[in-house]
Amino acid sequence: MARPDINRSGEIEVFVRVVEAGSFSAAARMLRMTPSAVSKLIARLEARLGARLISRSTRKLQLTPEGAAFFDSGVRILADMAAAEREAAAGAAPRGRLRVNSYVPFGQHRLIPLLPRFLERYPEIAIDLVLTDNVIDLMEERADVAIRAGPLGESRLVARKLGQSRLVVVAAPSYIRMHGALQTPADLDHHNRMGFCFVRHVDGWPFVAAAGDAFIVPITGNALVSDGEAMRLMALSGTGIARLARWHVEPDIAAGRLVPLLEDFNPGDEELTHAVYVGQGKHLPARVRAFLDFLVETVRLS
């Protein structure tokens, strides 16, 4: 447990200001301290952490790897403290900038259509939205919430489940007319199975044989894509066969633009979608808590 006489927030603020100002003397002027007091505080912080944060071998300050990581965390902590103080002063009304990262299909087909309702309900919140199927580091990207599909790895993040959807193998009618229908998973050997150009939890498509045995068909097509929406568009164009969440392609199936394949061999596995964030609920900024509650209330993937 930390000693009560240690002002951690004060140490973090001085360290961040030194890095931003580029020198001890400039930070001292900004903070109305003496350069020697700033230097002693940084030395005390490094001693307490047991790590060198700033290299002083040259006239220009340089961060060590530990210092760079601590700086990123410090900026985030100071921003959250400022937001907490603003919210407390305003009766915890949700306000401020909300940084959201979402995998592409969910962002395009579910989140963006819901944002007008959210922003109308919380007019003092501003959204920064980034869409990518890459798994990001929330601290490094300074994101408040990330929306992710699939199984979650071990991490210190907190997750709230938004829904799940059965996976389905699909192709465009034009592709089937050109390359032939499929009767069993073995027929996939003669077809173009499209994949993703990032690491997947399962490196292949699972199926269940008539006897109930599960097996995996590897992905050996000539097209790799960066995200699920690109995969859907490639399937619609007739490039090849895709395996995607049912919610993502349901409108295309209903309209006849895509056709489900090998449903008798579908294992029935589902893709889960979670909203993940840093910190426990009772310590969340009001803007983050409001957004998470809104997603749970409005998102439907089943």
Side-chain angles (χ1 to χ4, degrees):
M1 181 178 296
R3 295 199 325 265
D5 60 330
I6 295 177
N7 183 354
R8 292 190 173 189
S9 61
E11 289 180 343
I12 292 172
E13 182 172 9
V14 170
F15 172 72
V16 168
R17 300 306 171 227
V18 166
V19 175
E20 291 177 340
S23 71
F24 284 26
S25 57
R29 289 192 298 271
M30 183 187 307
L31 296 166
R32 297 182 179 181
M33 299 172 63
T34 65
S36 62
V38 170
S39 180
K40 289 178 181 178
L41 189 147
I42 297 298
R44 187 169 68 242
L45 173 63
E46 290 177 325
R48 182 168 63 81
L49 297 177
R52 177 61 64 90
L53 303 177
I54 298 175
S55 174
R56 302 170 179 78
S57 59
T58 62
R59 291 184 178 180
K60 182 179 179 180
L61 296 181
Q62 291 185 330
L63 289 175
T64 65
E66 294 79 9
F70 192 75
F71 172 75
D72 290 339
S73 298
V75 170
R76 175 64 177 269
I77 290 168
L78 292 176
D80 285 345
M81 288 175 58
E85 290 176 351
R86 288 194 302 270
E87 290 166 3
R95 63 175 60 197
R97 188 160 300 278
L98 180 71
R99 300 171 293 272
V100 179
N101 183 284
S102 171
Y103 71 100
V104 178
F106 183 92
Q108 291 188 349
H109 294 278
R110 287 294 188 270
L111 181 55
I112 289 176
L114 291 173
L115 285 182
R117 287 174 55 189
F118 177 75
L119 294 174
E120 182 178 3
R121 184 182 299 183
Y122 302 105
E124 295 186 76
I125 293 179
I127 292 281
D128 278 359
L129 176 62
V130 175
L131 302 184
T132 176
D133 275 19
N134 292 328
V135 176
I136 67 157
D137 184 315
L138 269 70
M139 295 295 291
E140 183 176 334
E141 298 295 330
R142 298 180 187 173
D144 294 304
V145 179
I147 302 170
R148 294 178 178 170
L152 298 177
E154 292 292 330
S155 77
R156 300 170 70 178
L157 300 176
V158 183
R160 288 186 71 173
K161 181 181 173 182
L162 300 181
Q164 70 278 338
S165 180
R166 186 168 170 270
L167 288 149
V168 60
V169 176
V170 294
S174 60
Y175 175 89
I176 297 172
R177 286 194 298 269
M178 180 173 294
H179 299 280
L182 289 81
Q183 302 300 323
T184 70
D187 296 333
L188 287 168
D189 289 343
H190 310 292
H191 288 268
N192 189 29
R193 287 105 71 187
M194 298 186 294
F196 293 99
C197 53
F198 54 83
V199 177
R200 301 285 287 177
H201 179 65
V202 177
D203 189 19
W205 294 350
F207 292 97
V208 175
D213 298 326
F215 61 97
I216 300 291
V217 173
I219 301 169
T220 58
N222 62 7
L224 297 176
V225 298
S226 62
D227 60 77
E229 181 62 8
M231 176 74 75
R232 169 181 167 269
L233 294 174
M234 294 279 276
L236 287 169
S237 72
T239 301
I241 300 174
R243 189 172 191 262
L244 295 165
R246 182 87 187 198
W247 74 262
H248 187 189
V249 293
E250 188 64 48
D252 300 311
I253 293 173
R257 295 186 294 266
L258 291 175
V259 178
L261 305 174
L262 304 172
E263 281 292 87
D264 289 342
F265 304 91
N266 192 321
D269 56 322
E270 294 183 324
E271 180 180 81
L272 275 69
T273 293
H274 291 89
V276 299
Y277 54 97
V278 178
Q280 298 298 327
K282 65 180 181 179
H283 300 303
L284 286 177
R287 68 185 187 280
V288 177
R289 187 181 306 109
F291 183 67
L292 293 168
D293 292 342
F294 177 82
L295 291 177
V296 173
E297 171 193 336
T298 58
V299 170
R300 298 292 180 268
L301 295 180
S302 300

